[in-house]
Amino acid sequence: MKVQKPCPVLATRRRLGSVEASSGPAGYLIVEANGGLNQQRSAICNAVAVAGILNAVLVIPSFGYNSVWKDPSEFRDIYDEDHFIATLEGYVKVVKELPDELLSKYDHNITNIPHLRVEAWAPAKHYLGKVYPVLQEQGVIRIAPFANRLAMDVPSHIQLLRCITNYRALKFSAPITALAHKLVNRMIERSSMTGGKYVSVHLRFEEDMVAFSCCLYDGGDAEKFEMHSFREKEWKGKFKGKDLDFTAGRNRIDGKCPLTPLEVGMMLRGMGFDSNTSIYLASGKIYKGEQHLAPLLKMFPLLYSKESLATSDELAPFQGYSSRLAALDYTVCLFSEVFATTHGGNFPHFLMGHRRFLFNGHAKTIKPDKRMLVGLLENMTISWKDFQG
């Protein structure tokens, strides 16, 4: 990326076997990015790539309201719009909204604009063969939903658009950046015994994650009832007819269960991190937090989170906005000496790639083999020395 030059759009289209536009963009592309912070981030990167394929002007993506994340934030609340547009200049033209004269053709109602449904993981040729003719004819198209609507395997110059978007163009908004950098500096200050270096842990042990995993922990029948009630409330009928006790056992053996705070602590101590290690915990509200965090806090007294590092006044503007809170976690993890992921998902995948890019391939990441780790944790006769080895 440091030596790549912008790919001329017409050259891009020629490589893909498309008929070149005679002059200027073929039209405007509107997409809706849904999901949480990093699913939306994925959709934005794909939107820029698709705009490059189609020789289209991209309208700043809108964010769909998600019933799980419950965050009404818009693009400008999470990211710096002007930086996004300026960074992509020369690659893909981006505008904040449709020109009024074009929008008036559709009675100033976005929903009246031709709506295309694109198959999941569609290749570049699909967009050129099926979508581009409609764009040429109508001058504007709307694609929704847009999650996972572009294949992972695309030509290198299209993948370049994704990378530029992810690592250069998507800069968090000023309020997020300001508080996130304060939290990073506070973590450095609290890590004086380790030269300002700290470990960040992405812990997926929120109530919804525990319930969705169908895994069982140490709560007995009360926990089973509580998790069953939660599943019925959030995902009615999705788990009906399943033998959840069998599923829980199978998931545990297969390493598909979220690690508990205790298990994360044992893993880190087994790897040689001692009680002087500063830990930043990136997470939502931990399921039965006081109970489950107690053993981790005992092993690592220097345990922090955004809630403990920031004042209540500093966090107040972010409360109720899960994506903005996740952006704070993302930034603090980004600048940690070591990042530990415990349960997969979009957050760690984006973060691991971003850290490799930021630190020229030298970022330190802990990605445990959970199948092997579970075998060690459930071995009641193993010595601490063998556990460490």
Side-chain angles (χ1 to χ4, degrees):
M1 281 181 58
K2 295 178 180 177
V3 296
Q4 287 274 11
K5 302 296 183 183
C7 297
V9 175
L10 295 182
T12 297
R13 292 178 53 73
R14 186 185 303 117
R15 290 177 195 165
L16 293 172
S18 169
V19 177
E20 295 179 4
S22 56
S23 62
Y28 290 82
L29 173 64
I30 299 173
V31 303
E32 181 180 289
N34 42 9
L37 175 71
N38 292 288
Q39 190 174 352
Q40 289 172 343
R41 192 179 187 102
S42 175
I44 295 166
C45 295
N46 283 337
V48 172
V50 169
I53 293 169
L54 297 174
N55 185 28
V57 177
L58 177 66
V59 179
I60 289 281
S62 62
F63 289 168
Y65 183 81
N66 186 280
S67 60
V68 175
W69 294 96
K70 298 180 175 65
D71 188 336
S73 297
E74 298 180 8
F75 189 100
R76 64 177 175 271
D77 298 318
I78 307 295
Y79 299 108
D80 184 329
E81 280 188 335
D82 293 330
H83 177 82
F84 183 75
I85 293 170
T87 302
L88 291 172
E89 185 66 34
Y91 296 91
V92 168
K93 182 173 176 58
V94 182
V95 296
K96 294 182 180 181
E97 54 189 21
L98 277 179
D100 189 67
E101 60 272 17
L102 184 57
L103 192 55
S104 64
K105 289 175 56 179
Y106 300 96
D107 297 326
H108 293 273
N109 188 341
I110 291 289
T111 60
N112 291 334
I113 292 172
H115 175 214
L116 297 182
R117 286 194 172 271
V118 176
E119 62 187 47
W121 309 111
K125 288 182 179 179
H126 174 86
Y127 283 95
L128 292 170
K130 302 291 186 181
V131 178
Y132 180 69
V134 180
L135 177 64
Q136 267 195 318
E137 180 183 348
Q138 300 290 339
V140 57
I141 56 170
R142 182 168 61 96
I143 303 178
F146 196 70
N148 304 324
R149 287 307 184 265
L150 181 62
M152 295 299 292
D153 185 13
V154 294
S156 59
H157 47 283
I158 298 301
Q159 183 64 19
L160 174 66
L161 295 178
R162 278 173 164 161
C163 293
I164 291 170
T165 303
N166 193 32
Y167 302 134
R168 297 288 193 204
L170 285 175
K171 174 186 174 185
F172 288 129
S173 63
I176 291 173
T177 300
L179 181 55
H181 285 174
K182 285 182 182 179
L183 301 186
V184 170
N185 288 333
R186 289 168 192 172
M187 276 304 301
I188 293 172
E189 290 168 3
R190 286 161 172 75
S191 307
S192 58
M193 286 187 285
T194 50
K197 298 175 181 180
Y198 61 92
V199 175
S200 62
V201 177
H202 183 225
L203 181 62
R204 295 308 316 272
F205 204 70
E206 302 90 348
E207 186 175 25
D208 62 332
M209 180 58 65
V210 173
F212 193 82
S213 72
C214 298
C215 297
L216 297 176
Y217 292 92
D218 55 359
D221 290 337
E223 180 187 298
K224 285 185 181 182
F225 178 78
E226 186 179 1
M227 292 295 98
H228 173 74
S229 300
F230 188 91
R231 281 190 288 267
E232 282 300 301
K233 177 185 174 184
E234 297 295 329
W235 307 287
K236 289 182 181 178
K238 183 178 179 68
F239 298 92
K240 191 174 182 180
K242 291 187 177 181
D243 183 346
L244 296 185
D245 285 347
F246 173 80
T247 301
R250 187 74 257 172
N251 284 351
R252 177 72 173 169
I253 293 171
D254 290 342
K256 295 180 179 178
C257 290
L259 293 180
T260 68
L262 170 61
E263 290 168 342
V264 171
M266 290 185 66
M267 176 186 74
L268 293 176
R269 289 302 289 268
M271 294 180 69
F273 293 98
D274 61 25
S275 59
N276 292 325
T277 305
S278 295
I279 305 285
Y280 179 83
L281 210 57
S283 176
K285 185 179 179 181
I286 299 297
Y287 173 57
K288 295 188 177 179
E290 187 175 347
Q291 170 189 332
H292 284 118
L293 285 173
L296 178 61
L297 186 59
K298 189 173 182 179
M299 284 186 275
F300 295 98
L302 303 177
L303 182 68
Y304 304 99
S305 65
K306 53 186 175 293
E307 289 81 11
S308 64
L309 290 173
T311 67
S312 56
D313 287 342
E314 287 173 328
L315 272 184
F318 297 83
Q319 299 294 359
Y321 299 99
S322 59
S323 291
R324 302 182 205 185
L325 291 169
L328 296 176
D329 279 341
Y330 187 98
T331 305
V332 182
C333 291
L334 185 64
F335 292 102
S336 62
E337 176 70 11
V338 179
F339 170 65
T341 174
T342 64
H343 197 59
N346 287 316
F347 184 101
H349 290 155
F350 270 98
L351 196 60
M352 286 187 286
H354 202 159
R355 283 167 53 81
R356 287 190 190 112
F357 172 80
L358 192 65
F359 300 113
N360 295 316
H362 298 293
K364 299 170 186 174
T365 300
I366 298 171
K367 188 179 179 183
D369 182 329
K370 288 168 65 177
R371 280 188 177 186
M372 290 188 66
L373 182 59
V374 165
L376 294 173
L377 291 169
E378 296 195 347
N379 185 343
M380 296 295 103
T381 62
I382 193 171
S383 67
W384 182 246
K385 182 178 180 181
D386 288 339
F387 180 83
Q388 287 179 301

